Amino acid sequence: MKIVDDFLAQDDFYELQTFMVGPEPGHTRVRGGSCPWYYNSIIDSVDDVDKFQFTHLFYTDWVPISSSMKILNPILIKIDPIKLWRIKANLLTRTSNIVENEFHQDAGEHEKLSKQWTTAIFYMNTNNGYTEFEDGTKVESVANRIVIFPTNTKHRGTSCTDERTRVVINFNYLIKNEIVSA
């Protein structure tokens, strides 16, 4: 696992943050548009009717589907993938108590991906939510932080209680030193 703070240059981060969550309080400069968010009634289980999130799919099943893909170029240049499987942004709204979601591994339904690919979580805003790994490691939500780990690593996200939203972007990708066997 690798954690990097101040991952993007400040101007690149501000442009992406403004697109994803709006300008920070006190900032009058606004660049770009506004990310379209889509209601998703399921986080862990269809039976859990009290959990929901908003998502934006940039890339899924090896195909770009968002017209806003270029906003991610500063991140993509730095992680340098040779192949993308999925890029998905998650927006969770504030809850009165921290709600921990279930442990999972990205691409669990694709065994090759889960064993040989990489996942990165990029944090758009600072809040008291976190990403927890099955070994007990917790990575706090800090704006412009990225955590990078093998896709088959079980982890879970949480809500937050101190901000209106918790926003992350998840990347699932293949890097140059990974080899997928046929």
Side-chain angles (χ1 to χ4, degrees), residues 54-105:
F54 294 89
T55 61
H56 181 85
L57 273 173
F58 288 95
Y59 210 98
T60 190
D61 293 327
W62 300 276
V63 177
I65 62 169
S66 174
S67 61
S68 304
M69 272 295 296
K70 73 178 184 175
I71 195 83
L72 300 176
N73 283 347
I75 295 174
L76 294 171
I77 288 166
K78 290 191 81 167
I79 63 174
D80 195 25
I82 60 170
K83 196 168 196 178
L84 293 166
W85 175 61
R86 182 176 65 187
I87 303 173
K88 183 177 81 139
N90 296 329
L91 182 153
L92 287 101
T93 58
R94 177 175 39 211
T95 53
S96 56
N97 297 304
I98 296 283
V99 176
E100 296 177 329
N101 297 317
E102 297 296 319
F103 283 107
H104 68 282
Q105 58 184 3

Side-chain angles (χ1 to χ4, degrees), residues 115-133:
K115 288 182 179 177
Q116 299 177 332
W117 285 52
T118 296
T119 293
I121 301 173
F122 186 75
Y123 300 88
M124 293 306 313
N125 63 328
T126 299
N127 57 74
N128 66 354
Y130 52 88
T131 302
E132 181 177 16
F133 293 85

Side-chain angles (χ1 to χ4, degrees), residues 7 10 14 19 27 47-48 58 75 82 107 121 129 137 139 159:
F7 186 69
Q10 197 57 45
Y14 182 74
F19 174 75
H27 284 260
D47 297 326
D48 194 345
F58 288 95
I75 295 174
I82 60 170
I121 301 173
T137 301
V139 177
S159 64

Side-chain angles (χ1 to χ4, degrees), residues 8-18 27 29 31 71 74 144:
L8 294 179
Q10 197 57 45
D11 284 348
D12 289 336
F13 177 69
Y14 182 74
E15 184 172 2
L16 178 58
Q17 185 183 53
T18 299
H27 284 260
R29 182 181 74 180
R31 292 191 234 160
I71 195 83
N144 202 9

